[in-house]
Structure formats: C-alpha cells, structure tokens
Amino acid sequence: MTQPMTSPDTEFISILGASGNPEAPARVSAHSLPQVIPILGLSDIVIFPGMVAPLLVETTQSTKLIDDVVAGDRLLGVALQRKPEAENPTPDEIHEVGCAARLLKMLKFPDNTVRVLVEGLWRVRIKEYTSTTPYLSAKFELMKDLTEDSVELTAMMRNAQGQFQDIIKLSPALSEQVKIAALNTENPGHFTDLIAINLNLSLEERQALLENTSVKQRLSALLPMLNREHEVLTLSSKIQSEVATSISKTQRDFFLREQLRAIQRELGEADTNLGEIRSLQDKIEGTPLSAEAKKVALQEVDRLQQMPTVAAEYAVTRHYLDWILSLPWEKETDDKIDLEEAERILNEQHFGLMKVKDRLLEFLAVIKRRKQIKGPILCLVGPPGVGKTSLGRSVADALGRKFARISLGGMRDEAEIRGHRRTYVGAMPGRIIQTLRRIESRNPVILLDELDKVGADFRGDPAAALLEVLDPAQNNTFTDYYLDIPFDLSRVLFITTANWLEPIHPALRDRLEVIELPSYTESEKLQIARRYLVPRQIEEHGLAKGEVKIPDTTIRRVIQDYTREAGVRQLEREIAALTRKATRKLVSNGHFARPLVLKPDLLKDYLGSARFVSEMAEIIKEIGIATGMAWTPVGGEVMFIEATRMPGKGNLLLTGSLGEVMKESAQTALSYLRSQSATLGIDMTDYGKFDIHIHVPAGATPKDGPSAGVTLLVALASLLTRHRVRSEVAMTGEISLRGRVLRVGGIKEKVLAAARFGIKQIVLPEQNRTDWAEVPEEVRKKLQAHFVRRISELLPLTLSSK
C-alpha cells in the first residue's frame, strides 16, 4: 500500500511535468516502454499523465518493487486500489486503468519507509498480470486521447479555461504557477488532466476521468464540477469576508471604547460603566440577602466589571443581578391573627360552609400558636363555583398577608415552576419566584388553582416540581433553575384547589390535607344571591341602591328554572342578565317609576323560556328504565339507565361511553339475576333466544365507576320481570354476586342533585348511613331515604307491583 506524501511543492512539480517546461526531465518515448512493468497500488491518490507527486512506501513488497525499479529503467505502473486498507493488494483489488510513470527520486529513512517522487507519463490499461511475487507485474496497453477538431470542443475548452481561472483567483491553495500553466496549455487532453490534478475531486471522480479517453466527454464531466467548485469557493469567500468584517468591527468598537474610557479618566469625567458597577455594589450591600445570594451577587458584579457593555453576556448578567436584588429575601408582612376577626371575615365573605370555616380557623389558630407554618398544605376540593378561590383570599385577609393566585390549569412544562437555566436565550425564573418578586413579600398566601388540571409532556412534569414546593420539610431550600440559589419558601402559606382528587399525582396528594366543599342547596343559593350576587351586580352596572329590586321569589325561580349547577356561577350570570335589561329599561325610560321591581312573571321576557322544568323527575312509563345518581367533578347528576331485549343469541350489549368498571357492574347484575331467577320469578328458559341491550344516555360523555351497579340491576330486573320502576325513586350503590349492596362515595353531591331534579325517595347502601347525616337538613326533609344491605331488600323498594 502506498500513500501520498504532503509536500508544498506537489502542484509546482506537476505543473512542470505537464507544461513542457524545458527544465523538466526529458519525456520518455512510448516506443521505449517494456512489455511488462511492475504495478504499484495507490491507497488514496490517482496519478494523471504529466503529474509529479511524492509517495510514501511502507510495505516490504512495495519497497522491493521500488528497489528493482531504481536499479532498472525507472519505469512502473501506478493504479488506484479498490480497497485502500489492503497492504499487499491482489490483482482483483486494483483498478484496470492506471498510469505509466517514471520514478524521479528516492529517499530511504531509518524507519524502513521509502519516499519517492514519480511522474505520470501515459494512461495505460492492465491487460493481464504476469506475476504476483515478489510484487505485481503486468502486461499493459497505452490509452491514447480521442480528440476532435470541432467548434463545440473549442467552446467547451474556453469555458473550462474561464471557470478554472476564476477558481484560481478564489482559491488561496492554487499558486500563480498553476495559473501560468493553465494559460499556456493548449492541448485539450492535457488541460483536462491539469484540472483533474488541481480540482478538489473525490477519488471516484478522479478515477472516472482517468479511465475516460474521450477528451470531449472529460470536458463535459469537468464543467459541472468546475461550476460546483466555483460556487463553493464563492460562498466560502463571502462567509470569510463577513466573519472578518464582524471581528474587525468588534475589535474596533472595543478599542474605541477603551480609548474613550482613558480620555474620560484624563478629563476627570465619570465612567458610566464604572458608575453602574458601583451602584450595583451599593445595592448588594444595602439589600438584605442570604449569605449565599450575596456571595453569588458579588461574584457576578466582578464578572460584569470585566465585560464590555456591548457583549451579549453583559445584558444576561445584568438581568440576573436585577432578579437577585429584587427578591424579598428578608422582607415580609407581620401576621395579625385575630380569630374573632378572621371568623367575621369568613362569615362576611362566604355564606354557609361551616365545617370548612371551622377547619380554616383551626389552621389559623395553630399558626398563631406556633408562629410558623410547618403543617400540611390545605387542598380545597369541590365543584366549580362553590367559592374555593375566594376562600383562599379570605384566609390572606384574615392573616393580614398579601395574596397571589397562580393558575396551574393546562401547565405542562416543569420550567413553569422551576424556571429555565440561564444558558437559554430569554431564560426566566419560574412562576413561584416571579410571584414573590411581584408582591414583594416572602410570606404571602399563594393559591395554586386547578391543581388537578396539571399535565405532563416531553418538557417534564410540573407535578413533580411541585413536590418540593409543597413539602414543608424541603421547601426552605427551594432552588429555582434560573437563580441557582436556595430560596426559603417555608414562610409561604400555600393553599391549593381542585375539582377532584383522582388526576392529582399520588405523591403530591399525600402532602395535601383535603377539605371538601359541597354543592350549595337551593336555600343557600338564595342567601348567597341576596347577600352577595345581587348587590355586586347592581354596583357593577352603575345602579344606585334601591333603583332595582329583585325579590326572593324571583331569585328562587331563576335558581329552579334557569340554573342546574353545584355552584353559583350560572346564577350570577343570570342575575347579571336581569340587571343589564333593567338598566337598559331605566336608561330608555327616564321617567320610569322607581324602584323597578323584577317580578317572577317578567322572567320569560327578560331571560326567555325556562331552561329546566322544576317538576318531579321524569315519569317512567315503560319497563327497563331506572333512575340513578352519579358523581362528577362539577357536582352530582341524575342519570337514566335503559334496558331492552330483542331476538338474538343471549348476548349483552352495552352502549353510552361506559368504562370497564361500569361494564363489569352490568355483567355482575345480569349474572346475579340469572342465578336468582327462580327466587325472583324470572322466566329464563328462552334466555338464549334474546339479546339484552343496556344504554346510558348522553353517549358523548364518558361514564365509569361501580356506583351504578344497583341502577343497572333494577333496570334489568324491571325488563325481565316486566314491572316498571317507580318514577320518584333514585338509587346508587355497588353490588356483588352474593347479592350485597356495598358502600360508594360522593353521597352528598348525589343527594343534592336528586333534590334538584325533584326526586322524592332515594335508595342508599346501609354502609352510607353516616354520609346521610352530612347532607343539609333542609334537603333531608325533602327526601325519604331507604338504606339496604342486600339486593333482596332493594327490589321491593324500587319496582312497582304492576
């Protein structure tokens, strides 16, 4: 294997050989060539006729070949190897077309390597190998250039010359001698070889040019290569020029600014940058910082002092220092905990919710006693519109602290909590640190709203970052990625809110003390509207007290006929609509008698037809329909389950977007009825001839859970016994194959929903009797509750006798 040597005179030597310079060694006649010549394999260079190149010979076989060539007529054949890594290539590993060359010079070195200088003479094609030891020898034939005297060839030649001259001007690697040789070479064949020698081509491209004896075809192949090389060199030159211009401008600005500083010092004028540095140092000394924050700030000021103001890093460091100096490291508000005043504030701002208020007052009493916050994080859980967010603000008012709210709904990036590292462009601290800077206190009340709406994606899980924030044992050294300095969050009172607990990360849920906020009853909504909603809407619509009156009967009708919700948001929107229309009537009729009383019979004109009919629940007139009670994150709901049978093969069909647990409950209900068919008086002899289909309306809404078990069983029992289900009865509970009715959750919300829908009787599991006591007394008075342990007790209460 032979490698090319790196030599600064390679191009110069090749030009002398190709240009016919009289000082070059005499050319060898083609007639003087022997019939057999030794073949030297080249690993990564292609030798062209007229090309002089140094080679490095390393293998013993190649060294023997060189010794014999020097001792003989100095003629040999050189050809590119197909496998560059082969040290002693075989005939199959060498290209058939190569170049007959003359060895001009040889030097041996102590490391047993030989450096030779060879000159390409003619293209040759290897016909057959005569020997392979001690080195390759072969018979060959000369390959003469095929040229023609045509206008097209002349045009191609001139085009190639022009492009090659442009490349020489753009390429610093090509010397002036190459330009001279290009100008003095008139033979098209020699010119193509000159271009191939000096152009930046791959080995495959060079070998293809060597093998092609048609001068016209070689020119045709070289023209696009010349064009490509010209474009690359032009673009490289442009990039280099732009970089040089940018560097020179930066250096010029730097020197000018240094000269300006020197002049200002000579004149006794202040250096603006120095003044800014001193100002920052004074701020650091005057701002109460933690020991670590002060150390980091002083280090950053020292770095800032060494930077030119035009540097990009200067603005980044300056922004970072601003954040450190603007945070409330020691600034806080004094707690003014007066439990009587706190109770007055809670009662003034919220109606009802007595258990919730009692728990909050207990929490405040502990804070007052211990003088610190080390207890659990409160999580207010309840349907929308029941006052979770406003309760957090009331706690801040009771403590005398500043209040801030951070919405977590839709948050998917961990950096929203921990911030971005300063290496990123436009990096900022997380929402926690931003909030503390904005309210300028290290002990505020921060409400983390919609905790159950936190998501996760490829950017991380914000819930995982909240683990440290909400853990009292860890958050005293909370480290934001942007600041990279521990900040004490232990004095912050965090309160979280959620509609339901299921989506919250289990480890995060373990750190929370859950306080459930129930749905409001009709009378509670009436009191809330009278005390808060109506006065607020009258004030927001620019009305004076007494100009518009909304009687209790009107509010009650709005609650019954225009809203059906757990909270009071829709109720406030309806009251706002009433107030707007009343305002318009007052403005349009200035002489209108005051006060304007909005009576119930005006609601149809103001709000349109009633959206919900406040009559008893839907009258069930067919078999196979049962009324159930369900829990949702936005409150309780009443749902209807329908069952029918049709000719088939005994299959059970389930529709209505049911989850796996609910499907299993339906299968359990059917299995129980089949197993107890004799006791219940159900004829199952033709069961295999019919399919049973169970459907739960509102098919677009996903439904799941075991609490629909009793409703599914009653609907199937009604279908199979052909007895209708009582319309005034709603039910909930899980069932087992042994006929037991098991405990379920969400009883309070379900019962309140049943009362809203006009249900008169409810059936609950016996194990939920204690939950019945949690239901408001006014609702319990409206409903008759039946508690059952077994399915045998359930069916007589729910199925009619005919």
Side-chain angles (χ1 to χ4, degrees), residues 2 15 149 174 200 239 247 296 531 570 648:
T2 306
I15 294 163
D149 188 10
L174 299 179
N200 188 17
I239 294 172
I247 293 175
V296 171
R531 296 186 185 190
Q570 183 62 30

Side-chain angles (χ1 to χ4, degrees), residues 702-750:
K703 311 167 192 71
D704 204 2
S707 62
V710 296
T711 314
L712 289 163
L713 184 137
V714 170
L716 287 171
S718 170
L719 176 69
L720 297 174
T721 61
R722 310 201 61 80
H723 288 274
R724 286 187 295 107
V725 179
R726 292 189 173 96
S727 301
E728 71 277 8
V729 179
M731 62 209 77
T732 185
E734 183 180 356
I735 60 172
S736 72
L737 284 174
R738 293 185 294 164
R740 298 176 59 200
V741 179
L742 306 177
R743 179 187 180 90
V744 292
I747 294 297
K748 189 173 184 179
E749 300 297 332
K750 293 175 181 179

Side-chain angles (χ1 to χ4, degrees), residues 129-149:
Y129 285 90
T130 58
S131 66
T132 57
T133 56
Y135 44 79
L136 298 177
S137 299
K139 293 182 179 180
F140 65 95
E141 64 178 356
L142 294 179
M143 300 172 63
K144 296 182 179 180
D145 285 346
L146 303 178
T147 185
E148 60 186 57
D149 188 10

